[in-house]
Amino acid sequence: EVQVVDSGGGLVQPGGSLRLSCAASGFTFNRYSMNWVRQAPGKGLEWVSYISSSSSTIYYADSVKGRFTVSRDNAKNSVYLQMNSLRDEDTAVYYCARDWSASFFDYWGLGTLVTVSS
Amino acid sequence: EIVMTQSPATLSVSPGERATLSCRASQSVSSKLAWYQQKPGQAPRLLIYGASTRATGIPARFSGSGSGTDFTLTISSLQSEDFAVYYCQHYNNWPPGRFTFGPGTKVDIK
């Protein structure tokens, strides 16, 4: 059974940092690209970052470019999102999601809440 | 950048009725479109990909159609568990790996 478990959210002050983790199981992790998608309270879905299966290709949304860094460890079946210089507008539930060949998202984590507030 | 719009923002439907949701792209995305369902407090769930292919385990009352810029998600007979927010998403970017969602349509009980 495919499982994606995201974690690491919490309360952080503006300008602070946080690292999210995503642990995957039930599939051959090193064959799939992974993504982070976020949802601000009461708002829609916003794609945040993409990392290819070998980490050779990485993309970010303009809203987080230069502040967030995505990485993965295929030996640990995990993907990470390092978030620096956090802003109030980064407050959201962050979902880790597997994509099918850089197309649609077929498996999602339950989400982890990041709250940026003083 | 391709912009996605969805209409209506809210759709009020009675159980057992048909619901028709629209998604429009600002330029052609071919058939590279997916639909998701999201219930309160839950992660999104993939319903449709390739504009018209149901994902694994999705009931036949959900169907998708369209290509190019205009797409439709139809729920043939709404069940109580179908009241949720529905998002479309295109994946026609080049190079692949960047994604855009529509703003969503909330389907609520009439």
Side-chain angles (χ1 to χ4, degrees), chain A residues 18-96:
Chain A
L18 208 57
R19 188 193 195 211
L20 305 184
S21 299
C22 172
S25 61
F27 63 98
T28 306
F29 184 73
N30 61 15
R31 294 185 182 177
Y32 288 85
S33 44
M34 299 293 292
N35 298 263
W36 290 95
V37 176
R38 70 183 180 182
Q39 186 170 39
K43 303 298 184 182
L45 301 170
E46 179 190 17
W47 168 78
V48 172
S49 182
Y50 163 94
I51 184 167
S52 64
S53 58
S54 64
S55 304
S56 60
T57 302
I58 287 174
Y59 297 121
Y60 299 98
D62 288 344
S63 57
V64 307
K65 201 173 296 183
R67 301 187 298 121
F68 289 12
T69 302
V70 65
S71 62
R72 64 189 293 162
D73 184 340
N74 285 345
K76 294 183 178 180
N77 286 2
S78 294
V79 62
Y80 308 98
L81 186 68
Q82 178 66 42
M83 304 185 295
N84 297 332
S85 303
L86 282 161
R87 306 167 180 167
D88 291 349
E89 55 266 33
D90 295 318
T91 293
V93 174
Y94 284 73
Y95 296 101
C96 177

